[in-house]
């Protein structure tokens, strides 16, 4: 990573308050941090810590109560629906925990979907989607419907869909939450590889400490606040150093 | 989204719930059939209605009759009034607005003889101008009377072909007479007035005969026409052959007319002119007068038919709306995902509107196809039922009339309407779909 990395997401004093009857719930309470271009950033926190809300705020899916979120120099929190949609088309990709593939569409059509919304010409988007599916190792599954594939394969389709439009930022919300350990590793490596190849920024939300080691930086969230931000040392092979790193960085902080 | 992608996605969504889409489309089909059939029956009824009244006489003609019938608003006959129709009245009527032509008419009965054959005829004397002004039928031969030559006598071909019989034969079979070959003798009725024995009986040898072609209007077919001036001339000659006391009575007949025909410039003004003349103290008659209440009944019936059709269409509109709402509930998560993946709000709306419009259009097209079948069946087998229905609205002579007529514009109108119903019914559900938040995609339960 360079000496002066470029900020791609700036989160400034962001608050999200839910009202439940007379009670105010500070789901995100005055959080500030930056995410740099090309980095793999992990928002780590237990369930209910506010990490998912934070991700939703960053992606413009939820409106924040106060503060600012600047993405690629543009204020996300001020955008209307249409501008947000166009921003998502251009710069954002999403990987979901439950894959969120459209059941009636084949793998190929699912991957094409973001390009369809973007009005990419038919031929071009077919080629792009195919390339992407080949890259995630689903060469033989192009015409399969989600139901005909395993969880790991579905998530690969999800990843292909997230990356197909070459977004600058990909948000991943518990991308391995429904997968077994082996598949988790495959999927995580896949995300990291693709992102690295294209110098894309990943923002991943997880409660699983063992996933944090795939990241360049881990931001721990607890009760709506940033507890710590840790930069993980540049390493070559995460799998090998697996146990050591996690043992060091993850204490009892996130046990909940 | 591109239009082609929108269409593809919309059709895919419709086809993934085939049973539900099919049932909703069925609703629209029924709605379309009922509207098209009801309208077509209304049009068919109107057609036979107009046809029937065209046969009875020109719609712009008003008559003031010597014995005027008093008719109430519903067309019922209440009684009659004797009124004096003289030249004075003719002049007054000429002054009324919108009156295009006025013609006094003298009707009487007379006899025609041709060899051993004879017939009673109704004789009608009118001014020679009236033949053109009141649209009398074409002539097969000869010419209508003119100012210069008013001695032409117009006989309908119908009279020539169907009236003459031999009074001495056993079965009174009628024969056709050809005035070019057969002689034609005209006489006034003998029994009305007593002839002066010393004078020779009045007889007129008709040599200048014009033959009128057969007309749809029964009135044209059943009279023999004389020019008014010529008639007065021969009538005076005839009166001179009568006994003195009868001669005076007979001549008095020329002073008052049987009725006065009035032609109005436009069908819309007929009622107005009638009111104006009635303000002068005379009872008038027109076909319109009968037509008006009947037309109202017929319009009413058409409206009821239309309302039944519209009702069925409304039910199918609700059906479409329901289907779309259900579909949106089912696809909440999908819509959320689409939004997260960058789908524009207006594309979501378009997608749902398209689906609703497709249901409408599909139902409309199939409905129209079936309507043609139904219309055919009604015309072929629906006779007894529709005869009764039409008689209740004043059309008696249905004959070979079509009960259901689908004009060329009706299918276009109906399919357009069905599609419009679809779009309208889909509008609020579609708006609802746009309000679904992208956060639905982030929910993990499902």
């Amino acid at each position: 990573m360079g000496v002066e990395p470029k900020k791609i997401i700036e989160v400034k004093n962001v608050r999200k308050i839910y009202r439940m009857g007379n009670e105010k719930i500070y789901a995100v309470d005055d959080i500030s941090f930056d995410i740099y271009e090309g980095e793999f950033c992990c928002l780590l926190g237990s369930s209910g810590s506010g990490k998912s809300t934070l991700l939703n705020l960053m992606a413009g899916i939820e409106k924040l109560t106060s503060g600012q979120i600047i993405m690629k120099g543009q204020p996300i929190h001020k955008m209307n629906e249409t501008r947000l949609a166009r921003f998502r088309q251009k710069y954002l990709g999403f990987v979901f925990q439950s894959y969120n593939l459209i059941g009636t569409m084949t793998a190929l059509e699912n991957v094409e979907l973001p390009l369809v919304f973007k009005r990419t010409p038919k031929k071009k988007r077919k080629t792009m989607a195919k390339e992407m599916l080949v890259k995630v190792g689903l060469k033989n599954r192009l015409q399969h419907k989600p139901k005909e594939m395993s969880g790991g394969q579905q998530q690969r389709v999800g990843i292909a869909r997230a990356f197909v439009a070459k977004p600058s930022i990909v948000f991943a919300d518990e991308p391995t939450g429904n997968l077994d350990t082996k598949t988790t590793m495959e999927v995580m490596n896949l995300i990291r590889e693709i992102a690295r190849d294209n110098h894309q920024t990943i923002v991943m939300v997880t409660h699983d400490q063992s996933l944090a080691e795939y990241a360049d930086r881990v931001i721990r969230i607890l009760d709506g606040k940033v507890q710590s931000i840790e930069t993980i040392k540049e390493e070559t092979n995460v799998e090998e150093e697996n146990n050591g790193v996690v043992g060091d960085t993850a204490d009892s902080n996130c046990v909940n | 989204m591109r239009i082609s992608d929108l269409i593809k996605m919309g059709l895919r969504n419709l086809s993934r719930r085939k049973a539900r889409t099919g049932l909703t489309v069925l609703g629209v089909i029924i709605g379309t059939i009922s509207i098209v059939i009801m309208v077509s029956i209304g049009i068919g009824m109107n057609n036979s209605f107009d046809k029937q009244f065209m046969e009875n006489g020109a719609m712009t003609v008003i008559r003031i009759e010597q014995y005027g019938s008093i008719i109430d608003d519903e067309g019922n006959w209440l009684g009659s009034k004797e009124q004096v129709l003289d030249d004075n009245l003719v002049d007054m009527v000429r002054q009324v607005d919108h009156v295009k032509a006025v013609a006094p008419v003298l009707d009487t009965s007379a006899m025609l003889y041709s060899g051993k054959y004879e017939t009673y005829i109704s004789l009608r004397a009118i001014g020679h101008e009236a033949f053109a002004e009141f649209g009398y039928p074409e002539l097969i031969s000869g010419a209508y009377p003119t100012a210069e030559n008013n001695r032409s006598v117009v006989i309908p071909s119908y009279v020539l072909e169907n009236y003459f019989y031999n009074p001495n034969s056993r079965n009174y079979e009628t024969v056709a007479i050809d005035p070019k070959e057969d002689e034609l003798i005209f006489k006034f009725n003998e029994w009305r007035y007593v002839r002066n024995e010393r004078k020779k009986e009045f007889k007129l040898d008709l040599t200048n005969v014009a033959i009128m072609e057969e007309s749809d209007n029964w009135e044209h077919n059943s009279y023999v026409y004389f020019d008014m001036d010529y008639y007065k001339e021969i009538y005076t000659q005839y009166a001179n052959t009568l006994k003195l006391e009868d001669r005076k009575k007979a001549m008095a007949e020329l002073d008052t007319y049987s009725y006065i025909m009035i032609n109005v410039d436009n069908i819309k003004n007929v009622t107005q002119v009638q009111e104006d003349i009635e303000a002068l103290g005379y009872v008038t008659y027109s076909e319109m007068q009968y037509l008006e209440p009947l037309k109202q009944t017929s319009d009413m019936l058409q409206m009821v038919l239309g309302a039944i059709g519209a009702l069925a269409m409304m039910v199918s509109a609700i059906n479409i709306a329901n289907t779309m709402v259900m579909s949106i509930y089912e696809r909440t998560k999908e819509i959320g995902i689409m939004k997260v993946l960058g789908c524009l709000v207006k594309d979501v709306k378009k997608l749902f509107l398209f689906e609703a419009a497709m249901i409408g259009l599909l139902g409309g097209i199939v409905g129209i196809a079936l309507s043609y079948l139904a219309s055919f069946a009604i015309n072929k087998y629906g006779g007894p039922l529709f005869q009764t229905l039409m008689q209740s609205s004043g059309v008696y002579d249905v004959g070979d009339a079509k009960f259901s007529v689908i004009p060329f514009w009706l299918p276009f109108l109906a399919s357009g309407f069905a599609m419009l119903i679809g779009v309208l019914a889909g509008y609020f559900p579609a708006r609802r779909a746009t309000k679904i938040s992208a956060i639905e995609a982030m929910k993990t339960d499902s």
Side-chain angles (χ1 to χ4, degrees):
Chain A
M1 218 174 277
V3 186
E4 273 292 327
K6 211 175 144 198
K7 290 174 189 172
I8 193 163
I9 306 174
E10 297 167 57
V11 177
K12 292 181 186 169
N13 307 103
V14 165
R15 271 208 174 94
K16 177 71 183 179
I17 303 169
Y18 292 112
R19 287 180 185 279
M20 281 203 159
N22 290 330
E23 228 178 319
K24 281 183 178 174
I25 294 167
Y26 288 77
V28 175
D29 189 9
D30 198 17
I31 282 185
S32 301
F33 59 84
D34 297 329
I35 292 173
Y36 302 100
E37 207 173 273
E39 83 171 332
F40 191 143
C41 181
C42 175
L43 298 176
L44 188 63
S46 56
S47 79
S49 62
K51 59 187 190 317
S52 288
T53 307
L54 189 57
L55 181 97
N56 291 348
L57 290 172
M58 283 197 276
I61 291 167
E62 281 189 84
K63 290 270 169 239
L64 40 74
T65 311
S66 69
Q68 284 181 309
I69 292 174
I70 316 282
M71 213 181 282
K72 293 216 82 152
Q74 294 184 46
I76 289 292
H77 57 284
K78 283 185 184 163
M79 287 184 183
N80 65 17
E81 282 256 29
T82 307
R83 281 196 58 200
L84 255 174
R86 295 211 189 279
F87 189 86
R88 285 186 192 128
Q89 288 174 2
K90 237 175 160 175
Y91 301 118
L92 304 186
F94 286 87
V95 181
F96 307 92
Q97 177 177 359
S98 49
Y99 326 129
N100 280 352
L101 303 177
I102 310 277
T104 50
M105 295 181 174
T106 63
L108 187 66
E109 285 167 332
N110 264 294
V111 176
E112 271 184 69
L113 207 54
L115 301 173
V116 167
F117 297 143
K118 221 175 155 180
R119 298 177 67 90
T120 310
K122 216 171 202 161
K123 249 189 180 158
K124 193 179 165 197
R125 75 178 188 228
K126 267 228 153 69
T127 321
M128 286 170 79
K130 244 180 226 167
E131 265 173 28
M132 208 60 225
L133 277 165
V134 170
K135 205 180 260 181
V136 299
L138 292 177
K139 204 171 158 184
N140 305 321
R141 295 283 184 275
L142 297 184
Q143 300 305 330
H144 287 229
K145 298 251 168 94
K147 271 189 188 150
E148 301 157 2
M149 290 186 278
S150 70
Q153 287 171 332
Q154 287 189 49
Q155 191 58 300
R156 282 163 194 269
V157 176
I159 289 165
R161 185 177 66 182
F163 282 95
V164 73
K166 311 248 181 300
S168 318
I169 305 159
V170 172
F171 290 102
D173 183 14
E174 302 273 14
T176 58
N178 292 357
L179 301 177
D180 59 47
T181 322
K182 185 171 167 280
T183 323
T184 298
M185 270 164 55
E186 288 169 10
V187 163
M188 286 309 297
N189 282 324
L190 191 60
I191 292 176
R192 210 170 52 161
E193 270 168 39
I194 298 171
R196 237 175 227 176
D197 289 351
N198 300 306
H199 197 60
Q200 282 155 314
T201 310
I202 308 286
V203 180
M204 180 179 77
V205 159
T206 185
H207 68 279
D208 186 350
Q209 310 213 14
S210 64
L211 295 184
E213 77 218 38
Y214 290 89
D216 300 322
R217 221 150 46 103
V218 177
I219 300 172
R220 288 174 186 275
I221 312 283
L222 185 67
D223 295 336
K225 289 188 165 107
V226 175
Q227 200 188 17
S228 67
I229 301 178
E230 300 150 39
T231 308
I232 294 182
K233 298 264 161 41
E234 195 74 19
E235 81 303 312
T236 44
N237 199 335
V238 176
E239 286 94 319
E240 281 173 17
E241 296 174 31
N242 202 350
N243 292 325
V245 176
V246 173
D248 277 316
T249 51
D251 303 316
S252 54
N253 285 338
C254 289
V255 178
N256 206 346
Chain B
M1 276 173 93
R2 286 161 186 276
I3 292 288
S4 58
D5 292 323
L6 201 82
I7 290 171
K8 198 176 155 199
M9 199 180 262
L11 292 180
R12 189 210 305 269
N13 286 332
L14 286 176
S15 67
R16 81 176 172 196
R17 287 260 183 266
K18 287 193 183 66
R20 189 174 61 193
T21 306
L23 288 173
T24 315
V25 169
L26 186 65
V28 182
I29 291 173
I30 292 168
T32 309
I33 292 177
S34 53
I35 276 207
V36 170
I37 288 304
M38 294 302 166
V39 171
S40 78
I41 288 172
I43 291 168
M45 236 163 63
N46 236 4
N47 283 359
S48 359
F49 202 79
D50 286 350
K51 202 172 147 219
Q52 175 177 328
F53 276 88
M54 282 319 286
E55 282 165 7
N56 279 2
M59 303 299 287
T60 56
V61 174
I62 299 172
R63 293 199 312 211
I64 311 174
E65 296 179 347
Q66 197 172 3
Y67 298 95
S69 298
I70 300 165
I71 308 287
D72 70 4
D73 288 343
E74 270 135 36
N76 300 316
W77 189 86
L78 299 180
S80 71
K81 175 189 175 189
E82 186 171 0
Q83 34 198 13
V84 178
L85 312 179
D86 52 15
D87 285 326
N88 200 9
L89 177 63
V90 172
D91 289 337
M92 268 186 346
V93 171
R94 264 187 230 283
Q95 308 301 318
V96 175
D97 279 348
H98 303 298
V99 169
K100 203 168 73 177
V102 181
V105 177
L106 266 173
D107 276 359
T108 188
S109 58
M111 295 294 291
L112 281 181
Y113 299 91
S114 179
K116 58 183 176 182
Y117 304 105
E118 62 177 60
T119 181
Y120 284 97
I121 53 158
S122 301
L123 184 154
R124 175 160 290 180
I126 54 176
H128 54 78
E129 311 88 357
F131 289 108
E133 287 168 347
F134 287 84
Y136 277 87
E138 299 280 311
L139 298 181
I140 295 168
S141 68
Y144 278 117
T146 58
E148 296 78 41
N149 175 18
N150 64 8
R151 292 178 176 248
S152 170
V153 175
V154 182
I155 306 176
S157 60
Y158 189 79
V159 169
L160 290 170
E161 278 158 28
N162 299 303
Y163 276 36
F164 287 89
Y165 67 97
N166 180 355
N168 299 320
S169 73
R170 268 175 296 173
N171 51 9
Y172 299 117
E173 212 170 300
T174 60
V175 293
I177 297 295
D178 183 358
K180 280 181 202 124
E181 289 170 14
D182 307 319
E183 59 155 10
L184 264 180
I185 308 293
F186 171 88
K187 280 188 201 171
F188 283 99
N189 271 338
E190 288 166 3
W191 46 265
R192 290 191 68 193
Y193 300 111
V194 183
R195 184 159 60 91
N196 185 339
E197 296 297 338
R198 283 175 298 173
K199 300 223 166 150
K200 211 176 136 208
E201 190 190 17
F202 176 82
K203 265 188 200 173
L204 187 64
D205 194 357
L206 298 184
T207 49
N208 192 355
V209 172
I211 301 170
M212 184 194 284
E213 67 175 25
E214 203 173 323
S215 155
D216 284 342
N217 186 339
W218 60 265
E219 210 181 316
H220 290 153
N221 288 338
S222 44
Y223 285 91
V224 171
Y225 296 89
F226 280 72
D227 172 64
M228 184 65 85
D229 293 333
Y230 181 48
Y231 175 74
K232 283 180 177 168
E233 191 185 318
I234 61 166
Y235 190 79
T236 312
Q237 286 172 24
Y238 160 70
N240 284 334
T241 67
L242 301 175
K243 273 190 162 174
L244 194 62
E245 56 267 38
D246 274 4
R247 188 187 303 168
K248 273 189 186 151
K249 270 194 260 170
M251 285 308 286
E253 272 186 26
L254 288 182
D255 294 337
T256 61
Y257 299 111
S258 311
Y259 64 86
I260 299 173
M261 287 198 296
I262 299 152
N263 207 355
V264 179
D265 58 0
N266 192 311
I267 198 158
K268 287 180 218 146
N269 299 324
V270 171
T271 313
Q272 176 62 43
V273 172
Q274 268 190 287
E275 278 168 17
D276 288 348
I277 295 170
E278 268 160 31
L280 298 173
Y282 292 88
V283 175
T284 59
Y285 165 90
S286 73
E287 292 290 345
M288 274 292 283
Q289 193 177 331
Y290 284 94
L291 191 60
E292 205 69 44
L294 291 180
K295 195 111 186 155
Q296 273 168 18
T297 320
S298 155
D299 284 352
M300 190 76 153
L301 201 64
Q302 273 190 64
M303 260 169 65
V304 171
L305 291 177
I308 293 170
L311 213 65
M313 206 60 183
M314 221 164 83
V315 173
S316 68
I318 293 168
N319 210 353
I320 293 176
N322 183 44
T323 297
M324 295 316 291
V325 169
M326 289 296 292
S327 169
I328 285 160
Y329 274 131
E330 274 177 14
R331 281 149 68 186
T332 302
K333 192 173 179 74
E334 188 180 313
I335 295 161
I337 296 167
M338 283 166 63
K339 280 191 163 179
V340 174
L341 296 182
C343 186
L344 295 173
V345 171
K346 63 174 187 196
D347 284 341
V348 174
K349 195 172 181 173
K350 274 189 211 159
L351 183 64
F352 279 90
L353 282 181
F354 170 78
E355 286 174 28
M358 273 320 280
I359 291 176
L361 185 65
L362 212 66
I365 289 171
V366 177
I368 286 160
L370 293 179
S371 295
Y372 275 102
L373 258 168
S375 173
F376 174 78
I378 286 173
N379 286 333
K380 188 140 196 208
Y381 306 109
L385 170 67
F386 283 90
Q387 223 131 1
T388 336
L389 197 69
M390 284 190 174
Q391 273 166 13
S392 71
S393 78
V395 178
Y396 298 99
D397 180 28
V398 261
D400 59 343
K402 281 192 168 172
F403 305 111
S404 161
V405 175
I406 301 181
F408 75 95
W409 49 263
L410 190 55
F412 295 100
L413 190 82
S415 53
F417 186 61
M419 204 163 120
L420 184 76
I421 287 282
V423 171
L424 286 180
Y427 182 75
F428 288 100
R431 250 188 37 174
R432 192 183 184 136
T434 64
K435 299 233 168 82
I436 289 171
S437 165
I439 202 155
E440 296 294 337
M442 311 308 279
K443 292 183 181 164
T444 44
D445 51 81
S446 75

